[in-house]
PDB file of all heavy atoms in Angstrom:
ATOM      1  N   GLN A  28      37.569 -23.206  87.216  1.00 95.00           N
ATOM      2  CA  GLN A  28      38.194 -24.471  87.614  1.00 95.00           C
ATOM      3  C   GLN A  28      37.519 -25.668  86.935  1.00 95.00           C
ATOM      4  O   GLN A  28      38.205 -26.574  86.474  1.00 95.00           O
ATOM      5  CB  GLN A  28      38.133 -24.602  89.124  1.00 95.00           C
ATOM      6  CG  GLN A  28      38.937 -25.776  89.667  1.00 95.00           C
ATOM      7  CD  GLN A  28      38.966 -25.790  91.173  1.00 95.00           C
ATOM      8  OE1 GLN A  28      38.194 -25.091  91.853  1.00 95.00           O
ATOM      9  NE2 GLN A  28      39.856 -26.579  91.735  1.00 95.00           N
ATOM     10  N   ASP A  29      36.201 -25.660  86.854  1.00 94.00           N
ATOM     11  CA  ASP A  29      35.490 -26.760  86.184  1.00 94.00           C
ATOM     12  C   ASP A  29      35.822 -26.802  84.686  1.00 94.00           C
ATOM     13  O   ASP A  29      36.001 -27.861  84.106  1.00 94.00           O
ATOM     14  CB  ASP A  29      33.984 -26.641  86.382  1.00 94.00           C
ATOM     15  CG  ASP A  29      33.554 -26.964  87.810  1.00 94.00           C
ATOM     16  OD1 ASP A  29      34.335 -27.599  88.540  1.00 94.00           O
ATOM     17  OD2 ASP A  29      32.456 -26.540  88.208  1.00 94.00           O
ATOM     18  N   LEU A  30      35.881 -25.621  84.063  1.00 95.00           N
ATOM     19  CA  LEU A  30      36.219 -25.585  82.637  1.00 95.00           C
ATOM     20  C   LEU A  30      37.645 -26.058  82.381  1.00 95.00           C
ATOM     21  O   LEU A  30      37.917 -26.774  81.415  1.00 95.00           O
ATOM     22  CB  LEU A  30      36.032 -24.160  82.092  1.00 95.00           C
ATOM     23  CG  LEU A  30      34.599 -23.701  81.896  1.00 95.00           C
ATOM     24  CD1 LEU A  30      34.535 -22.228  81.564  1.00 95.00           C
ATOM     25  CD2 LEU A  30      33.913 -24.551  80.827  1.00 95.00           C
ATOM     26  N   GLU A  31      38.549 -25.708  83.281  1.00 93.00           N
ATOM     27  CA  GLU A  31      39.943 -26.140  83.154  1.00 93.00           C
ATOM     28  C   GLU A  31      40.049 -27.657  83.104  1.00 93.00           C
ATOM     29  O   GLU A  31      40.897 -28.207  82.404  1.00 93.00           O
ATOM     30  CB  GLU A  31      40.780 -25.561  84.298  1.00 93.00           C
ATOM     31  CG  GLU A  31      42.261 -25.754  84.130  1.00 93.00           C
ATOM     32  CD  GLU A  31      43.058 -25.044  85.206  1.00 93.00           C
ATOM     33  OE1 GLU A  31      42.545 -24.860  86.332  1.00 93.00           O
ATOM     34  OE2 GLU A  31      44.186 -24.650  84.895  1.00 93.00           O
ATOM     35  N   LYS A  32      39.167 -28.339  83.802  1.00 92.00           N
ATOM     36  CA  LYS A  32      39.192 -29.808  83.829  1.00 92.00           C
ATOM     37  C   LYS A  32      38.763 -30.426  82.511  1.00 92.00           C
ATOM     38  O   LYS A  32      39.171 -31.539  82.185  1.00 92.00           O
ATOM     39  CB  LYS A  32      38.303 -30.318  84.964  1.00 92.00           C
ATOM     40  CG  LYS A  32      38.806 -30.019  86.330  1.00 92.00           C
ATOM     41  CD  LYS A  32      37.807 -30.457  87.397  1.00 92.00           C
ATOM     42  CE  LYS A  32      38.260 -30.018  88.767  1.00 92.00           C
ATOM     43  NZ  LYS A  32      37.228 -30.279  89.801  1.00 92.00           N
ATOM     44  N   VAL A  33      37.903 -29.762  81.744  1.00 91.00           N
ATOM     45  CA  VAL A  33      37.385 -30.353  80.519  1.00 91.00           C
ATOM     46  C   VAL A  33      38.044 -29.793  79.236  1.00 91.00           C
ATOM     47  O   VAL A  33      37.886 -30.358  78.165  1.00 91.00           O
ATOM     48  CB  VAL A  33      35.840 -30.206  80.372  1.00 91.00           C
ATOM     49  CG1 VAL A  33      35.154 -30.962  81.491  1.00 91.00           C
ATOM     50  CG2 VAL A  33      35.412 -28.756  80.335  1.00 91.00           C
ATOM     51  N   LEU A  34      38.782 -28.685  79.368  1.00 93.00           N
ATOM     52  CA  LEU A  34      39.460 -28.118  78.207  1.00 93.00           C
ATOM     53  C   LEU A  34      40.718 -28.933  77.873  1.00 93.00           C
ATOM     54  O   LEU A  34      41.389 -29.435  78.762  1.00 93.00           O
ATOM     55  CB  LEU A  34      39.837 -26.661  78.475  1.00 93.00           C
ATOM     56  CG  LEU A  34      38.671 -25.691  78.585  1.00 93.00           C
ATOM     57  CD1 LEU A  34      39.147 -24.320  79.070  1.00 93.00           C
ATOM     58  CD2 LEU A  34      37.929 -25.565  77.251  1.00 93.00           C
ATOM     59  N   ASP A  35      41.007 -29.065  76.587  1.00 90.00           N
ATOM     60  CA  ASP A  35      42.150 -29.826  76.085  1.00 90.00           C
ATOM     61  C   ASP A  35      43.454 -29.233  76.643  1.00 90.00           C
ATOM     62  O   ASP A  35      43.803 -28.089  76.314  1.00 90.00           O
ATOM     63  CB  ASP A  35      42.143 -29.775  74.561  1.00 90.00           C
ATOM     64  CG  ASP A  35      43.259 -30.581  73.920  1.00 90.00           C
ATOM     65  OD1 ASP A  35      44.173 -31.055  74.642  1.00 90.00           O
ATOM     66  OD2 ASP A  35      43.219 -30.756  72.675  1.00 90.00           O
ATOM     67  N   PRO A  36      44.195 -29.985  77.454  1.00 90.00           N
ATOM     68  CA  PRO A  36      45.424 -29.458  78.056  1.00 90.00           C
ATOM     69  C   PRO A  36      46.550 -29.216  77.048  1.00 90.00           C
ATOM     70  O   PRO A  36      47.517 -28.530  77.367  1.00 90.00           O
ATOM     71  CB  PRO A  36      45.799 -30.514  79.098  1.00 90.00           C
ATOM     72  CG  PRO A  36      45.157 -31.759  78.611  1.00 90.00           C
ATOM     73  CD  PRO A  36      43.904 -31.336  77.893  1.00 90.00           C
ATOM     74  N   GLU A  37      46.429 -29.750  75.838  1.00 86.00           N
ATOM     75  CA  GLU A  37      47.429 -29.482  74.795  1.00 86.00           C
ATOM     76  C   GLU A  37      47.243 -28.089  74.228  1.00 86.00           C
ATOM     77  O   GLU A  37      48.160 -27.546  73.606  1.00 86.00           O
ATOM     78  CB  GLU A  37      47.354 -30.510  73.678  1.00 86.00           C
ATOM     79  CG  GLU A  37      47.899 -31.857  74.048  1.00 86.00           C
ATOM     80  CD  GLU A  37      47.934 -32.802  72.859  1.00 86.00           C
ATOM     81  OE1 GLU A  37      48.027 -32.331  71.711  1.00 86.00           O
ATOM     82  OE2 GLU A  37      47.856 -34.000  73.086  1.00 86.00           O
ATOM     83  N   CYS A  38      46.060 -27.531  74.392  1.00 90.00           N
ATOM     84  CA  CYS A  38      45.745 -26.207  73.827  1.00 90.00           C
ATOM     85  C   CYS A  38      45.600 -25.121  74.895  1.00 90.00           C
ATOM     86  O   CYS A  38      46.040 -24.001  74.689  1.00 90.00           O
ATOM     87  CB  CYS A  38      44.430 -26.266  73.036  1.00 90.00           C
ATOM     88  SG  CYS A  38      44.458 -27.387  71.640  1.00 90.00           S
ATOM     89  N   PHE A  39      44.972 -25.467  76.011  1.00 95.00           N
ATOM     90  CA  PHE A  39      44.614 -24.467  76.996  1.00 95.00           C
ATOM     91  C   PHE A  39      45.569 -24.464  78.189  1.00 95.00           C
ATOM     92  O   PHE A  39      45.951 -25.508  78.701  1.00 95.00           O
ATOM     93  CB  PHE A  39      43.180 -24.703  77.481  1.00 95.00           C
ATOM     94  CG  PHE A  39      42.167 -24.439  76.425  1.00 95.00           C
ATOM     95  CD1 PHE A  39      41.758 -25.440  75.551  1.00 95.00           C
ATOM     96  CD2 PHE A  39      41.626 -23.158  76.267  1.00 95.00           C
ATOM     97  CE1 PHE A  39      40.833 -25.181  74.556  1.00 95.00           C
ATOM     98  CE2 PHE A  39      40.682 -22.902  75.266  1.00 95.00           C
ATOM     99  CZ  PHE A  39      40.299 -23.920  74.424  1.00 95.00           C
ATOM    100  N   VAL A  40      45.934 -23.261  78.595  1.00 95.00           N
ATOM    101  CA  VAL A  40      46.848 -23.099  79.734  1.00 95.00           C
ATOM    102  C   VAL A  40      46.396 -21.911  80.561  1.00 95.00           C
ATOM    103  O   VAL A  40      45.911 -20.903  80.045  1.00 95.00           O
ATOM    104  CB  VAL A  40      48.307 -22.911  79.233  1.00 95.00           C
ATOM    105  CG1 VAL A  40      48.456 -21.666  78.384  1.00 95.00           C
ATOM    106  CG2 VAL A  40      49.285 -22.917  80.371  1.00 95.00           C
ATOM    107  N   ARG A  41      46.541 -22.053  81.875  1.00 96.00           N
ATOM    108  CA  ARG A  41      46.165 -20.988  82.795  1.00 96.00           C
ATOM    109  C   ARG A  41      47.288 -19.947  82.799  1.00 96.00           C
ATOM    110  O   ARG A  41      48.465 -20.299  82.879  1.00 96.00           O
ATOM    111  CB  ARG A  41      45.934 -21.534  84.190  1.00 96.00           C
ATOM    112  CG  ARG A  41      45.370 -20.485  85.152  1.00 96.00           C
ATOM    113  CD  ARG A  41      45.094 -21.083  86.519  1.00 96.00           C
ATOM    114  NE  ARG A  41      43.873 -21.837  86.548  1.00 96.00           N
ATOM    115  CZ  ARG A  41      42.685 -21.344  86.904  1.00 96.00           C
ATOM    116  NH1 ARG A  41      42.579 -20.068  87.234  1.00 96.00           N
ATOM    117  NH2 ARG A  41      41.626 -22.111  86.944  1.00 96.00           N
ATOM    118  N   ILE A  42      46.911 -18.671  82.703  1.00 96.00           N
ATOM    119  CA  ILE A  42      47.896 -17.595  82.731  1.00 96.00           C
ATOM    120  C   ILE A  42      47.717 -16.675  83.923  1.00 96.00           C
ATOM    121  O   ILE A  42      48.523 -15.762  84.129  1.00 96.00           O
ATOM    122  CB  ILE A  42      47.916 -16.783  81.432  1.00 96.00           C
ATOM    123  CG1 ILE A  42      46.587 -16.070  81.194  1.00 96.00           C
ATOM    124  CG2 ILE A  42      48.305 -17.659  80.241  1.00 96.00           C
ATOM    125  CD1 ILE A  42      46.654 -14.965  80.170  1.00 96.00           C
ATOM    126  N   SER A  43      46.653 -16.898  84.697  1.00 96.00           N
ATOM    127  CA  SER A  43      46.440 -16.141  85.931  1.00 96.00           C
ATOM    128  C   SER A  43      45.364 -16.858  86.737  1.00 96.00           C
ATOM    129  O   SER A  43      44.779 -17.827  86.266  1.00 96.00           O
ATOM    130  CB  SER A  43      45.995 -14.694  85.627  1.00 96.00           C
ATOM    131  OG  SER A  43      44.661 -14.665  85.232  1.00 96.00           O
ATOM    132  N   ARG A  44      45.102 -16.351  87.930  1.00 95.00           N
ATOM    133  CA  ARG A  44      44.034 -16.955  88.728  1.00 95.00           C
ATOM    134  C   ARG A  44      42.691 -16.811  88.036  1.00 95.00           C
ATOM    135  O   ARG A  44      41.762 -17.570  88.308  1.00 95.00           O
ATOM    136  CB  ARG A  44      43.940 -16.236  90.097  1.00 95.00           C
ATOM    137  CG  ARG A  44      44.956 -16.711  91.085  1.00 95.00           C
ATOM    138  CD  ARG A  44      44.789 -16.079  92.449  1.00 95.00           C
ATOM    139  NE  ARG A  44      43.406 -15.921  92.871  1.00 95.00           N
ATOM    140  CZ  ARG A  44      42.984 -14.926  93.650  1.00 95.00           C
ATOM    141  NH1 ARG A  44      43.813 -14.008  94.068  1.00 95.00           N
ATOM    142  NH2 ARG A  44      41.720 -14.863  94.014  1.00 95.00           N
ATOM    143  N   PHE A  45      42.596 -15.826  87.141  1.00 96.00           N
ATOM    144  CA  PHE A  45      41.314 -15.487  86.554  1.00 96.00           C
ATOM    145  C   PHE A  45      41.217 -15.759  85.047  1.00 96.00           C
ATOM    146  O   PHE A  45      40.233 -15.375  84.439  1.00 96.00           O
ATOM    147  CB  PHE A  45      41.018 -14.000  86.807  1.00 96.00           C
ATOM    148  CG  PHE A  45      41.111 -13.644  88.256  1.00 96.00           C
ATOM    149  CD1 PHE A  45      42.203 -12.937  88.751  1.00 96.00           C
ATOM    150  CD2 PHE A  45      40.124 -14.036  89.143  1.00 96.00           C
ATOM    151  CE1 PHE A  45      42.290 -12.596  90.079  1.00 96.00           C
ATOM    152  CE2 PHE A  45      40.205 -13.698  90.478  1.00 96.00           C
ATOM    153  CZ  PHE A  45      41.293 -12.994  90.959  1.00 96.00           C
ATOM    154  N   GLU A  46      42.243 -16.401  84.458  1.00 97.00           N
ATOM    155  CA  GLU A  46      42.204 -16.539  82.999  1.00 97.00           C
ATOM    156  C   GLU A  46      42.936 -17.794  82.503  1.00 97.00           C
ATOM    157  O   GLU A  46      43.993 -18.169  82.988  1.00 97.00           O
ATOM    158  CB  GLU A  46      42.832 -15.319  82.344  1.00 97.00           C
ATOM    159  CG  GLU A  46      42.687 -15.278  80.860  1.00 97.00           C
ATOM    160  CD  GLU A  46      42.980 -13.887  80.290  1.00 97.00           C
ATOM    161  OE1 GLU A  46      43.436 -13.001  81.028  1.00 97.00           O
ATOM    162  OE2 GLU A  46      42.736 -13.725  79.078  1.00 97.00           O
ATOM    163  N   ILE A  47      42.328 -18.399  81.465  1.00 98.00           N
ATOM    164  CA  ILE A  47      42.876 -19.528  80.739  1.00 98.00           C
ATOM    165  C   ILE A  47      42.886 -19.130  79.264  1.00 98.00           C
ATOM    166  O   ILE A  47      41.909 -18.548  78.788  1.00 98.00           O
ATOM    167  CB  ILE A  47      42.005 -20.797  80.913  1.00 98.00           C
ATOM    168  CG1 ILE A  47      41.924 -21.194  82.386  1.00 98.00           C
ATOM    169  CG2 ILE A  47      42.522 -21.945  80.068  1.00 98.00           C
ATOM    170  CD1 ILE A  47      40.870 -22.242  82.673  1.00 98.00           C
ATOM    171  N   ILE A  48      43.973 -19.438  78.539  1.00 97.00           N
ATOM    172  CA  ILE A  48      44.021 -19.078  77.129  1.00 97.00           C
ATOM    173  C   ILE A  48      44.230 -20.329  76.267  1.00 97.00           C
ATOM    174  O   ILE A  48      44.762 -21.336  76.738  1.00 97.00           O
ATOM    175  CB  ILE A  48      45.130 -18.056  76.821  1.00 97.00           C
ATOM    176  CG1 ILE A  48      46.534 -18.639  77.097  1.00 97.00           C
ATOM    177  CG2 ILE A  48      44.895 -16.759  77.559  1.00 97.00           C
ATOM    178  CD1 ILE A  48      47.667 -17.817  76.530  1.00 97.00           C
ATOM    179  N   ASN A  49      43.847 -20.219  75.012  1.00 96.00           N
ATOM    180  CA  ASN A  49      44.078 -21.261  74.014  1.00 96.00           C
ATOM    181  C   ASN A  49      45.348 -20.873  73.264  1.00 96.00           C
ATOM    182  O   ASN A  49      45.360 -19.929  72.494  1.00 96.00           O
ATOM    183  CB  ASN A  49      42.890 -21.330  73.044  1.00 96.00           C
ATOM    184  CG  ASN A  49      43.019 -22.435  72.031  1.00 96.00           C
ATOM    185  OD1 ASN A  49      44.086 -23.007  71.834  1.00 96.00           O
ATOM    186  ND2 ASN A  49      41.926 -22.730  71.352  1.00 96.00           N
ATOM    187  N   LEU A  50      46.421 -21.616  73.513  1.00 94.00           N
ATOM    188  CA  LEU A  50      47.703 -21.318  72.878  1.00 94.00           C
ATOM    189  C   LEU A  50      47.631 -21.398  71.362  1.00 94.00           C
ATOM    190  O   LEU A  50      48.352 -20.697  70.659  1.00 94.00           O
ATOM    191  CB  LEU A  50      48.782 -22.285  73.387  1.00 94.00           C
ATOM    192  CG  LEU A  50      49.231 -22.112  74.826  1.00 94.00           C
ATOM    193  CD1 LEU A  50      50.144 -23.259  75.239  1.00 94.00           C
ATOM    194  CD2 LEU A  50      49.900 -20.770  75.036  1.00 94.00           C
ATOM    195  N   LYS A  51      46.747 -22.219  70.848  1.00 92.00           N
ATOM    196  CA  LYS A  51      46.624 -22.392  69.388  1.00 92.00           C
ATOM    197  C   LYS A  51      45.974 -21.165  68.736  1.00 92.00           C
ATOM    198  O   LYS A  51      46.045 -21.009  67.523  1.00 92.00           O
ATOM    199  CB  LYS A  51      45.795 -23.636  69.046  1.00 92.00           C
ATOM    200  CG  LYS A  51      46.270 -24.917  69.678  1.00 92.00           C
ATOM    201  CD  LYS A  51      47.588 -25.355  69.117  1.00 92.00           C
ATOM    202  CE  LYS A  51      47.957 -26.723  69.679  1.00 92.00           C
ATOM    203  NZ  LYS A  51      49.340 -26.996  69.757  1.00 92.00           N
ATOM    204  N   LYS A  52      45.335 -20.311  69.508  1.00 95.00           N
ATOM    205  CA  LYS A  52      44.714 -19.103  68.983  1.00 95.00           C
ATOM    206  C   LYS A  52      45.592 -17.862  69.203  1.00 95.00           C
ATOM    207  O   LYS A  52      45.234 -16.769  68.786  1.00 95.00           O
ATOM    208  CB  LYS A  52      43.342 -18.877  69.620  1.00 95.00           C
ATOM    209  CG  LYS A  52      42.322 -19.904  69.243  1.00 95.00           C
ATOM    210  CD  LYS A  52      41.961 -19.809  67.779  1.00 95.00           C
ATOM    211  CE  LYS A  52      40.879 -20.799  67.404  1.00 95.00           C
ATOM    212  NZ  LYS A  52      40.535 -20.696  65.990  1.00 95.00           N
ATOM    213  N   ALA A  53      46.724 -18.045  69.849  1.00 95.00           N
ATOM    214  CA  ALA A  53      47.642 -16.930  70.068  1.00 95.00           C
ATOM    215  C   ALA A  53      48.494 -16.724  68.819  1.00 95.00           C
ATOM    216  O   ALA A  53      49.039 -17.678  68.268  1.00 95.00           O
ATOM    217  CB  ALA A  53      48.552 -17.196  71.267  1.00 95.00           C
ATOM    218  N   SER A  54      48.574 -15.504  68.345  1.00 94.00           N
ATOM    219  CA  SER A  54      49.377 -15.209  67.163  1.00 94.00           C
ATOM    220  C   SER A  54      50.755 -14.728  67.542  1.00 94.00           C
ATOM    221  O   SER A  54      51.661 -14.721  66.725  1.00 94.00           O
ATOM    222  CB  SER A  54      48.693 -14.199  66.260  1.00 94.00           C
ATOM    223  OG  SER A  54      48.520 -12.958  66.942  1.00 94.00           O
ATOM    224  N   GLY A  55      50.946 -14.323  68.805  1.00 93.00           N
ATOM    225  CA  GLY A  55      52.259 -13.850  69.224  1.00 93.00           C
ATOM    226  C   GLY A  55      52.346 -13.637  70.715  1.00 93.00           C
ATOM    227  O   GLY A  55      51.337 -13.516  71.425  1.00 93.00           O
ATOM    228  N   PHE A  56      53.607 -13.605  71.178  1.00 94.00           N
ATOM    229  CA  PHE A  56      53.898 -13.375  72.587  1.00 94.00           C
ATOM    230  C   PHE A  56      54.951 -12.273  72.648  1.00 94.00           C
ATOM    231  O   PHE A  56      55.990 -12.371  72.008  1.00 94.00           O
ATOM    232  CB  PHE A  56      54.435 -14.649  73.257  1.00 94.00           C
ATOM    233  CG  PHE A  56      53.432 -15.765  73.260  1.00 94.00           C
ATOM    234  CD1 PHE A  56      53.366 -16.655  72.189  1.00 94.00           C
ATOM    235  CD2 PHE A  56      52.564 -15.931  74.308  1.00 94.00           C
ATOM    236  CE1 PHE A  56      52.453 -17.686  72.170  1.00 94.00           C
ATOM    237  CE2 PHE A  56      51.632 -16.963  74.301  1.00 94.00           C
ATOM    238  CZ  PHE A  56      51.573 -17.833  73.236  1.00 94.00           C
ATOM    239  N   ASP A  57      54.694 -11.235  73.445  1.00 93.00           N
ATOM    240  CA  ASP A  57      55.622 -10.119  73.566  1.00 93.00           C
ATOM    241  C   ASP A  57      56.284 -10.184  74.939  1.00 93.00           C
ATOM    242  O   ASP A  57      55.624 -10.037  75.970  1.00 93.00           O
ATOM    243  CB  ASP A  57      54.828  -8.814  73.413  1.00 93.00           C
ATOM    244  CG  ASP A  57      55.708  -7.575  73.464  1.00 93.00           C
ATOM    245  OD1 ASP A  57      56.938  -7.687  73.777  1.00 93.00           O
ATOM    246  OD2 ASP A  57      55.180  -6.472  73.218  1.00 93.00           O
ATOM    247  N   PHE A  58      57.604 -10.392  74.924  1.00 91.00           N
ATOM    248  CA  PHE A  58      58.385 -10.506  76.144  1.00 91.00           C
ATOM    249  C   PHE A  58      59.082  -9.217  76.513  1.00 91.00           C
ATOM    250  O   PHE A  58      59.910  -9.193  77.403  1.00 91.00           O
ATOM    251  CB  PHE A  58      59.442 -11.616  75.984  1.00 91.00           C
ATOM    252  CG  PHE A  58      58.877 -12.993  75.832  1.00 91.00           C
ATOM    253  CD1 PHE A  58      58.511 -13.476  74.597  1.00 91.00           C
ATOM    254  CD2 PHE A  58      58.707 -13.807  76.940  1.00 91.00           C
ATOM    255  CE1 PHE A  58      57.983 -14.760  74.448  1.00 91.00           C
ATOM    256  CE2 PHE A  58      58.192 -15.079  76.799  1.00 91.00           C
ATOM    257  CZ  PHE A  58      57.809 -15.559  75.561  1.00 91.00           C
ATOM    258  N   SER A  59      58.782  -8.109  75.814  1.00 90.00           N
ATOM    259  CA  SER A  59      59.537  -6.871  75.975  1.00 90.00           C
ATOM    260  C   SER A  59      59.317  -6.200  77.339  1.00 90.00           C
ATOM    261  O   SER A  59      60.174  -5.436  77.795  1.00 90.00           O
ATOM    262  CB  SER A  59      59.218  -5.876  74.861  1.00 90.00           C
ATOM    263  OG  SER A  59      57.881  -5.503  74.900  1.00 90.00           O
ATOM    264  N   VAL A  60      58.193  -6.429  77.977  1.00 88.00           N
ATOM    265  CA  VAL A  60      57.956  -5.849  79.304  1.00 88.00           C
ATOM    266  C   VAL A  60      58.522  -6.801  80.339  1.00 88.00           C
ATOM    267  O   VAL A  60      58.100  -7.957  80.421  1.00 88.00           O
ATOM    268  CB  VAL A  60      56.444  -5.603  79.556  1.00 88.00           C
ATOM    269  CG1 VAL A  60      56.215  -5.035  80.931  1.00 88.00           C
ATOM    270  CG2 VAL A  60      55.880  -4.663  78.490  1.00 88.00           C
ATOM    271  N   THR A  61      59.483  -6.344  81.086  1.00 88.00           N
ATOM    272  CA  THR A  61      60.161  -7.185  82.069  1.00 88.00           C
ATOM    273  C   THR A  61      59.185  -7.739  83.108  1.00 88.00           C
ATOM    274  O   THR A  61      58.377  -6.996  83.670  1.00 88.00           O
ATOM    275  CB  THR A  61      61.257  -6.374  82.806  1.00 88.00           C
ATOM    276  OG1 THR A  61      62.130  -5.819  81.811  1.00 88.00           O
ATOM    277  CG2 THR A  61      62.059  -7.233  83.737  1.00 88.00           C
ATOM    278  N   GLY A  62      59.251  -9.044  83.300  1.00 88.00           N
ATOM    279  CA  GLY A  62      58.459  -9.675  84.336  1.00 88.00           C
ATOM    280  C   GLY A  62      57.092 -10.167  83.922  1.00 88.00           C
ATOM    281  O   GLY A  62      56.380 -10.759  84.718  1.00 88.00           O
TER     282      GLY A  62
END
């Protein structure tokens, strides 16, 4: 939670209660698994 406050919101997004990712470092997103 503290890191989420200081990370650049244009790059970082929460994807679960336990994880934040840098969208700029993602090379792809796979939507093939439903849900």
